[in-house]
Amino acid sequence: MFRSLGGKLTASVVAISVVIIMAISYFNFQKTSSKVVELYQGIQQQTLAAAYKSIYITMADEAQEHLRIVARDVAKTDRNDVVSQRLILSTTSSLAKYPLMFIVYEDDGKAILQDYSENGNAHLSPAWDSAGGVDLRTRPWYVQTKQKNAGIITPVYKSTVGKYKGYDFATATMPIIKNGKFIGVVGFDIPVDGFQARFEAFKNAEIPSMSVFMTDNGGAIFSHEDMEFVKSGLSKDVEIALQEKLRNDPDHDGTIDYNLRMPNGEVVDKLGFYKQFPFGWTIVATADKSDYTRAVNKNLIETIIMASIMIVIGAVGIFFIIRHFTAPINTIKQLLIGFFQYLNHETKVAPKPLVLKSQDELGVMAVAINQNIERTQNGL
């Protein structure tokens, strides 16, 4: 096949086509792969933005607004009217189900501790509450609120007493200002155990490994889809890496590339997008880099398959096209062989004139050969 002119032309055209198709496929793969990475990173960034907004609304917008209103109403209330102050706390608690709301006064350290009533029948005692002999004015959240003269969010802590023993909480506070003077602190506890359930809505089939976790003011992970993994201590390297990244990032908003050692000893290459809240917590949307690689490889395989199909289809088409247009060459070859045999007296019968309707070079050649055959016959 490849000895014939048609075969050689077919092989040459197919070879050139293969080079062209492979070059186009390569550049298309490079461009598409870049788009895939951009798309996947975009999904992570969108997840981070949505998760950040969800927590910010709860911990900053909603919590701080509730506390501002409570602090304002408490400042307007008679300091010795404990029942009225309890009613303010209880009403706010019933709206957002804060487990515990409290007021602590600056002058004498007296406190009101109002638990959330699940049945709606809150007990509004006229008596001040005891903190077990602890002066709550010495607590870090009180000291920081007084120093900043602004609301704060504390690091996450685990409750060790009461009906919420073992649960994780953060405390939100707000200074009570009356006639321009600091007179105490109002605040409430916020359970953080339910945050992870919100992040389940951000799961994405395109990036199956993607997850969201949060660290508190001290850099410790307190919300993660696998808290047993966190408790095992294997996440400590991640916490350290994130804290180091935050120290060198004035915007506190960027990416972190790190290796995560799994319980089975496997090391997973991770890429995370993080953003720190104004109150010190940090939220991270992270995923395995293998998800990116898998998507890029899938694109590569699809590109190779499509290029191979196009090459096969193109080769078949080129073969039949060239075969069609070069078919007269074989006829002309047979005519020339017969004509030369006639000239060399190898045969006494002149070949019959060739009939070609084509107007291309092959048609011109056929006319010239026919004319020479006719002259030879007339000359004889």
Side-chain angles (χ1 to χ4, degrees), residues 24-34 296 299-300 303:
I24 293 174
S25 298
Y26 173 77
F27 287 111
N28 178 65
F29 166 72
Q30 292 295 325
K31 185 176 180 180
T32 304
S33 298
S34 177
V296 170
N299 177 54
L300 174 61
T303 299

Side-chain angles (χ1 to χ4, degrees), residues 95-168:
L95 294 174
K97 298 181 175 58
Y98 299 124
L100 173 67
M101 295 196 67
F102 55 83
I103 299 171
V104 180
Y105 282 100
E106 170 69 8
D107 56 355
D108 55 9
K110 285 187 176 181
I112 299 175
L113 309 176
Q114 188 67 31
D115 288 323
Y116 167 64
S117 176
E118 296 179 359
N119 56 22
N121 299 320
H123 177 59
L124 304 179
S125 170
W128 297 95
D129 289 307
S130 170
V134 177
D135 186 348
L136 296 178
R137 292 174 297 180
T138 64
R139 303 297 292 172
W141 50 262
Y142 187 97
V143 174
Q144 292 175 27
T145 304
K146 180 180 177 180
Q147 289 175 345
K148 293 183 178 181
N149 198 31
I152 67 165
I153 304 293
T154 71
V156 176
Y157 68 93
K158 191 175 293 294
S159 177
T160 58
V161 296
K163 64 179 180 179
Y164 296 108
K165 182 178 181 180
Y167 286 76
D168 290 327

Side-chain angles (χ1 to χ4, degrees), residues 35-271:
K35 293 294 184 183
V36 168
V37 172
E38 289 180 11
L39 172 63
Y40 276 37
Q41 290 185 349
I43 293 174
Q44 276 188 256
Q45 291 172 315
Q46 290 173 5
T47 298
L48 176 68
Y52 178 93
K53 187 64 176 178
S54 174
I55 301 302
Y56 188 86
I57 289 174
T58 298
M59 300 303 299
D61 289 346
E62 184 180 273
Q64 295 299 306
E65 183 60 25
H66 286 169
L67 286 172
R68 274 191 291 269
I69 294 173
V70 171
R72 180 199 65 191
D73 292 346
V74 168
K76 293 178 180 179
T77 305
D78 183 353
R79 180 192 186 285
N80 296 312
D81 187 352
V82 177
V83 173
S84 294
Q85 294 177 76
R86 287 189 185 278
L87 181 60
I88 294 171
L89 299 183
S90 180
T91 301
T92 304
S93 179
S94 65
L95 294 174
K97 298 181 175 58
Y98 299 124
L100 173 67
M101 295 196 67
F102 55 83
I103 299 171
V104 180
Y105 282 100
E106 170 69 8
D107 56 355
D108 55 9
K110 285 187 176 181
I112 299 175
L113 309 176
Q114 188 67 31
D115 288 323
Y116 167 64
S117 176
E118 296 179 359
N119 56 22
N121 299 320
H123 177 59
L124 304 179
S125 170
W128 297 95
D129 289 307
S130 170
V134 177
D135 186 348
L136 296 178
R137 292 174 297 180
T138 64
R139 303 297 292 172
W141 50 262
Y142 187 97
V143 174
Q144 292 175 27
T145 304
K146 180 180 177 180
Q147 289 175 345
K148 293 183 178 181
N149 198 31
I152 67 165
I153 304 293
T154 71
V156 176
Y157 68 93
K158 191 175 293 294
S159 177
T160 58
V161 296
K163 64 179 180 179
Y164 296 108
K165 182 178 181 180
Y167 286 76
D168 290 327
F169 292 96
T171 298
T173 66
M174 183 68 65
I176 304 173
I177 307 298
K178 188 169 186 177
N179 299 325
K181 181 183 178 182
F182 175 84
I183 65 170
V185 172
V186 61
F188 51 67
D189 289 338
I190 303 175
V192 299
D193 294 315
F195 287 159
Q196 197 61 219
R198 302 183 188 184
F199 305 150
E200 290 297 318
F202 303 133
K203 287 291 186 180
N204 190 291
E206 295 295 326
I207 314 178
S209 68
M210 185 171 66
S211 64
V212 179
F213 68 84
M214 289 196 295
T215 65
D216 63 15
N217 313 54
I221 296 177
F222 68 87
S223 180
H224 191 282
E225 64 181 6
D226 186 1
M227 287 306 295
E228 292 302 318
F229 171 77
V230 175
K231 293 175 183 177
S232 70
L234 292 174
S235 64
K236 197 65 179 177
D237 290 342
V238 179
E239 296 172 345
I240 294 173
L242 182 58
Q243 286 301 102
E244 181 67 25
K245 188 77 173 179
L246 289 169
R247 277 194 294 271
N248 297 315
D249 178 12
D251 297 326
H252 294 169
D253 181 0
T255 62
I256 180 171
D257 192 334
Y258 63 97
N259 291 324
L260 183 65
R261 184 172 296 279
M262 306 304 291
N264 61 3
E266 178 187 2
V267 177
V268 180
D269 194 1
K270 291 273 193 176
L271 177 66

